[in-house]
């Protein structure tokens, strides 16, 4: 492998891929999406989507990546030279820009909240006060743009230093630290007054909530949370050694990511209900409720800033993996050097991010199109590609290189050829009708 690309060490890959997967998708997007879709039923459909649809796609992406050792465009081209399949790769590169642009705005907000926390602004916080704090914060245009710029800068900095140097190191300390602080938050939230109402909302399926919108949002949330459908996992797979057992790695990544998302719900919903807030309040939920929790928590002055710091880093390990896709494309296909690619592409994402930072309506449209629809299309074509264009037997052979994990190979073959594409197609069609 040439120097411009770099590669991961053995555990490094699981850590880096989990670092990509775990981020704002788990702590910010998952809880508010659960809230908007009526609670428990969404959680069940989400879990089913992760296992039946997303996990097979995750294995497929990593396998394509390692087999070809390339970015998404190069990878499709390597397996089916000169075919239109590389358009799927281009869609991924484009989605990369677009997702980075809105994601970095929310990530910038976590940095902003870190400063609020460390300067003691959560003191004595109530639900109402936290709500107006968030409104004031998001309507401060210059601050939003500034924080967006800060976050894009951090992402560009890490990506320009290369995969093994930059990305691995961050993930190693981050995961355990984030997990510990989430457990503390969990205890505080579960012991609040009326916590059980939140738990009931979160776990008890209400069949009245069943709508096409719920199913499509559950599926796209599974893709978003596991970083699927735009080639992030193809790109990360391209840095994996042939010794790695891909199916096992995929299983761990999905388990970590889903565990953290579920944990986030157990923190957010009891807190929402104990404050008498609306669970369907939308994308501000996390920012409206956590300051209250920290204010009510012994040691909250320390844990508040620590949490937002860790969350910012978790978001950074995700934005890195998003920017890495167009950067790997520019390095492999356009022969740019890594640094130039990171700076140019990062600046473009910053420009597209400005309207997201200024107009909440634009932001939610962008989340829907690029963070949802485009990923489903991408995942659909990745499944069809591995299942039919590239024979699953070749893909199985590639997985065998790492040894083990083959007992379930026939199950995976059926899942990636039939179950996943048919379900994705039906769900997409259902949401149009
Ligand atoms: N999965 C990340 C999160 O949950 C976000 C992310 C990183 C992503 N890379 C991606 C989403 C690729 C979609 C596609 O925060």
């Amino acid at each position: 492998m040439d120097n411009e690309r770099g590669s991961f060490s053995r555990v490094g890959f699981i850590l880096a891929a989990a670092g990509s997967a775990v981020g704002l998708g788990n702590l910010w997007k998952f809880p508010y999406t659960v809230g908007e879709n009526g609670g428990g039923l969404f959680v069940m459909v989400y879990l089913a989507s992760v296992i039946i649809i997303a996990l097979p796609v995750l294995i497929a992406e990593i396998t394509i990546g390692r087999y070809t050792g390339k970015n998404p465009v190069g990878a499709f081209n390597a397996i089916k030279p000169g075919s239109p399949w590389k358009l799927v790769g281009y869609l991924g590169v484009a989605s990369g820009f677009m997702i980075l642009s809105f994601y970095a705005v929310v990530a910038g907000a976590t940095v902003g909240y870190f400063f609020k926390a460390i300067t003691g602004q959560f003191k004595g916080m109530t639900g109402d006060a936290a709500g107006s704090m968030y409104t004031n914060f998001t309507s401060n245009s210059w601050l939003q743009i500034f924080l967006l710029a800060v976050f894009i800068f951090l992402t560009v900095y890490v990506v320009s230093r290369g995969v093994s140097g930059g990305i691995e190191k961050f993930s190693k300390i981050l995961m355990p630290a984030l997990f510990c602080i989430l457990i503390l938050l969990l205890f505080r939230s579960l012991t609040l007054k009326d916590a059980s109402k939140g738990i009931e909302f979160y776990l008890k399926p209400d069949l009245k909530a069943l709508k096409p919108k719920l199913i499509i949002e559950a599926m796209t949330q599974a893709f978003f949370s596991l970083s699927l459908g735009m080639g992030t996992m193809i790109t990360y797979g391209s840095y994996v050694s042939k010794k790695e057992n891909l199916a096992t790695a995929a299983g761990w990544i999905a388990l970590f990511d889903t565990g953290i998302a579920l944990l986030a719900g157990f923190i957010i919903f009891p807190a929402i209900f104990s404050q008498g807030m609306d669970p369907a309040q939308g994308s501000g939920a996390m920012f409206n409720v956590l300051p209250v929790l920290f204010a009510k928590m012994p040691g909250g002055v320390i844990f508040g800033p620590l949490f937002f710091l860790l969350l910012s880093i978790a978001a950074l390990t995700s934005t890195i993996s998003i920017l890495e896709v167009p950067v790997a494309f520019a390095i492999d296909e356009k022969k740019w050097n890594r640094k130039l690619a990171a700076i140019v592409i990062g600046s473009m994402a910053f420009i597209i991010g400005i309207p997201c930072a200024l107009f909440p309506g634009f932001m939610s449209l962008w989340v829907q199109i690029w963070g949802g629809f485009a990923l489903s299309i991408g995942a659909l074509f990745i499944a069809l590609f591995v299942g039919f264009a590239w024979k699953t037997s070749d893909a199985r052979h590639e997985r065998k290189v790492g040894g083990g994990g083959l007992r379930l190979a026939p199950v995976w073959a059926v899942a990636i050829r039939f179950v996943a594409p048919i379900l994705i197609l039906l769900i997409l069609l259902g949401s149009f009708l």
Side-chain angles (χ1 to χ4, degrees), residues 20-277:
S20 162
V22 174
L24 299 170
N26 309 59
L27 285 135
W28 163 74
K29 191 162 182 286
F30 178 73
Y32 87 74
T33 313
V34 173
E36 286 178 336
N37 285 286
L41 186 69
F42 178 91
V43 178
M44 291 173 72
V45 179
Y46 175 74
L47 291 177
S49 312
V50 168
I51 297 167
I52 304 173
I53 307 176
L55 186 58
V57 175
L58 175 59
I59 297 176
E61 282 204 24
I62 304 174
T63 308
I64 298 175
R66 187 177 64 178
Y67 178 78
T68 57
K70 290 206 156 75
N71 71 89
V73 174
F76 286 103
N77 229 355
I79 296 175
K80 288 279 158 199
S83 72
W85 283 106
K86 64 171 174 298
L87 293 177
V88 185
Y90 279 109
L91 174 68
V93 171
S95 308
F97 283 110
M98 302 301 184
I99 294 177
L100 182 58
S101 65
F102 74 74
Y103 199 95
V105 173
V106 187
T110 64
V111 175
Y113 266 61
F114 165 71
F115 285 104
K116 284 188 185 302
I118 207 163
T119 52
Q121 294 182 44
F122 293 170
K123 208 160 155 254
M125 215 18 102
T126 60
D128 288 342
S132 39
M133 181 164 92
Y134 182 65
T135 314
N136 288 338
F137 174 72
T138 47
S139 49
N140 184 340
S141 309
W142 288 112
L143 181 62
Q144 294 300 313
I145 293 175
F146 171 72
L147 291 170
L148 166 69
V150 168
F151 214 86
I152 296 271
F153 174 82
L154 291 172
T155 309
V156 166
Y157 177 73
V158 179
V159 169
S160 66
R161 294 178 48 199
V163 220
S164 48
I167 301 170
E168 268 193 56
K169 283 191 195 113
F170 276 96
S171 307
K172 277 188 186 145
I173 352 158
L174 173 76
M175 289 291 155
L178 186 65
F179 187 74
C180 291
I181 199 159
L182 287 175
I183 296 293
L184 289 177
L185 276 169
L186 178 70
F187 276 112
R188 176 62 274 206
S189 192
L190 289 178
T191 51
L192 290 170
K193 182 165 94 31
D194 288 337
S196 59
K197 283 193 198 149
I199 298 296
E200 190 181 321
F201 175 83
Y202 187 43
L203 294 184
K204 203 166 147 201
D206 172 8
L207 283 179
K208 281 198 301 295
L210 189 60
K211 292 189 191 96
K213 175 175 163 285
L214 179 147
I215 301 177
I216 182 137
E217 292 206 344
M219 179 180 76
T220 53
Q221 174 62 23
F223 293 144
F224 186 84
S225 193
L226 282 168
S227 306
L228 298 176
M230 60 156 270
T232 288
M233 292 299 178
I234 296 181
T235 309
Y236 270 28
S238 74
Y239 304 116
V240 178
S241 96
K242 295 279 181 192
K243 289 197 221 74
E244 192 81 51
N245 177 338
L246 298 184
T248 316
W252 279 113
I253 297 161
L255 197 69
F256 276 140
D257 184 70
T258 310
I260 303 263
L262 289 176
L263 200 53
F266 278 110
I267 295 167
I268 301 280
F269 289 106
I272 285 186
F273 279 80
S274 89
Q275 294 300 306
M277 290 176 178

